[in-house]
Amino acid sequence: MEDVARAAGVSVATVSKVVNSRYGVSRATFDKVTGVIDELGYATSLGAQSLRSHTTNVIGVLVAEFEPFSSELLKGVSDAIGPTGYDLLAFSGGHRGGEVGWERRSLSRLGGTLLDGAIIVTPTVVGAQNGIPVVAVDPHTGPSGVPTVDADNFAGGVLATEHLLALGHRRIALLGGRSDLESARQRERGFRHAMAEAGVEVDEALVQAGDYRAETADGPAHELLSLPQPPTAVFAANDLSAIRTMEVARELGLRVPEDLSVVGFDNVPESAMSLPPLTTVDQSLKTIGATALEMLVGLLEGRTPDPTHVCLPVSLVPRASTAAPRR
């Protein structure tokens, strides 16, 4: 404020009045000071502002790490936040290993001083609110007392598997997600349900955990595709695992989709750019982000979300990674 006062030729007290919208400043002086503020790029301290008004007008999106899934959600929040009047802060809190409780640390550091409310993506603990409104996206343990947004993971597992069955595949592998995530369990349930409905027995040797990461999917994908009787198709529980499966197939001399069909889940941008473009289940990640924002703004305005758990529909996006089996 001293810099602004010096440049505008007024007192620090006058700048303070302008910044805090107080009376006692003429229109000409107000315009002059605000012009200098714009010129200098001055901004009030969020911490100081929260001490005075107990609000910061900032919403946080807290993620364990920035990867394609959370990045698409963040885009959805960013696209929708403009009309709300809130600013957006994105924060990665699980870089120390993503262990249980990262959201508690993040909220403890940011809640109430930098943030008015938070959207937490795939939290391990959904009850860690730290005194500010929280909306959880795809929590590890599924819906609870905290307002929650997710996609219909069970239906997505059914869609992916039914697509492969309709093409004529019967020896279908599942490269699953993380066992501690409800989304992964629901996708596996959908897979098993579709197989049972088609009267096709699941070969448990073809069920592996890929843990939602390319690096952790590598070993299981090699194991599946190197079996004496390998699968003709793989349903991978997320796109990153599916893309890595196609890469492993090429390393082993298999062609996709001629020798192996692959379906993913999420529809992150990388899925459309893979070689070949990946057939996947679209769970509208940007819509999930925008919906979570709408629920959080409602909480900040004193409205209780109804319903408190929003489950969004999914759809199949057929691309070039799936075809009828040739063996």
Side-chain angles (χ1 to χ4, degrees):
M1 284 198 290
E2 288 177 355
D3 292 338
V4 173
R6 190 179 304 113
V10 299
S11 68
V12 172
T14 297
V15 176
S16 178
K17 287 180 180 179
V18 171
V19 168
N20 294 290
S21 301
R22 293 179 187 146
Y23 294 108
V25 180
S26 70
R27 171 51 60 182
T29 300
F30 181 89
D31 291 343
K32 185 176 184 181
V33 171
T34 53
V36 170
I37 286 172
D38 291 340
E39 242 178 76
L40 297 180
Y42 171 83
T44 56
S45 163
L46 289 175
Q49 179 181 323
S50 70
L51 288 173
R52 289 192 302 269
S53 65
H54 305 292
T55 62
T56 64
N57 227 41
V58 177
I59 283 174
V61 177
L62 311 184
V63 301
E65 60 180 321
F66 292 112
E67 35 72 42
F69 175 88
S70 60
S71 296
E72 286 302 293
L73 283 167
L74 181 58
K75 289 177 189 175
V77 177
S78 179
D79 289 346
I81 202 166
T84 70
Y86 284 93
D87 291 323
L88 178 63
L89 173 70
F91 184 82
S92 171
H95 55 276
R96 298 176 186 174
E99 69 274 15
V100 171
W102 63 267
E103 57 285 311
R104 278 200 181 109
R105 291 194 308 273
S106 301
L107 285 172
S108 177
R109 295 180 66 185
L110 304 174
T113 55
L114 289 180
L115 302 179
D116 286 345
I119 296 167
I120 311 181
V121 180
T122 62
T124 57
V125 183
V126 293
Q129 295 188 48
N130 201 51
I132 65 171
V134 166
V135 172
V137 172
D138 198 18
H140 280 218
T141 55
S144 67
V146 172
T148 305
V149 186
D150 58 18
D152 194 339
N153 291 290
F154 173 80
V158 170
L159 280 176
T161 310
E162 285 182 343
H163 173 67
L164 294 171
L165 289 166
L167 289 171
H169 295 277
R170 293 297 178 268
R171 193 160 174 77
I172 303 172
L174 172 69
L175 187 58
R178 290 173 48 179
S179 60
D180 62 328
L181 278 175
E182 180 65 10
S183 63
R185 293 190 287 268
Q186 290 298 323
R187 292 171 198 183
E188 180 171 346
R189 277 190 60 236
F191 163 75
R192 292 182 180 276
H193 176 82
M195 294 285 277
E197 287 292 299
V200 179
E201 186 176 349
V202 174
D203 184 345
E204 296 301 331
L206 299 183
V207 178
Q208 295 277 357
D211 286 345
Y212 283 158
R213 292 176 175 271
E215 59 269 27
T216 51
D218 183 89
H222 271 96
E223 186 173 334
L224 286 170
L225 301 185
S226 299
L227 289 169
Q229 286 185 284
T232 63
V234 175
F235 166 38
N238 77 335
D239 287 346
L240 297 184
S241 300
I243 292 168
R244 184 57 193 144
T245 298
M246 293 195 295
E247 293 169 349
V248 169
R250 284 197 295 273
E251 292 170 10
L252 296 175
L254 299 172
R255 298 166 299 165
V256 177
E258 292 85 355
D259 302 317
L260 178 74
S261 287
V262 181
V263 179
F265 200 116
D266 284 340
N267 197 26
V268 296
E270 288 81 353
S271 66
M273 298 183 287
S274 63
L275 187 65
L278 178 67
T279 295
T280 187
V281 175
D282 180 16
Q283 61 168 325
S284 301
L285 293 172
K286 289 183 180 179
T287 303
I288 291 177
T291 302
L293 174 68
E294 182 181 353
M295 293 174 76
L296 182 57
V297 170
L299 286 171
L300 290 167
E301 293 176 351
R303 301 192 305 273
T304 300
D306 184 20
T308 57
H309 171 222
V310 176
C311 183
L312 295 173
V314 297
S315 60
L316 185 77
V317 182
R319 295 193 183 110
S321 68
T322 52
R326 293 195 177 185
R327 65 175 190 272

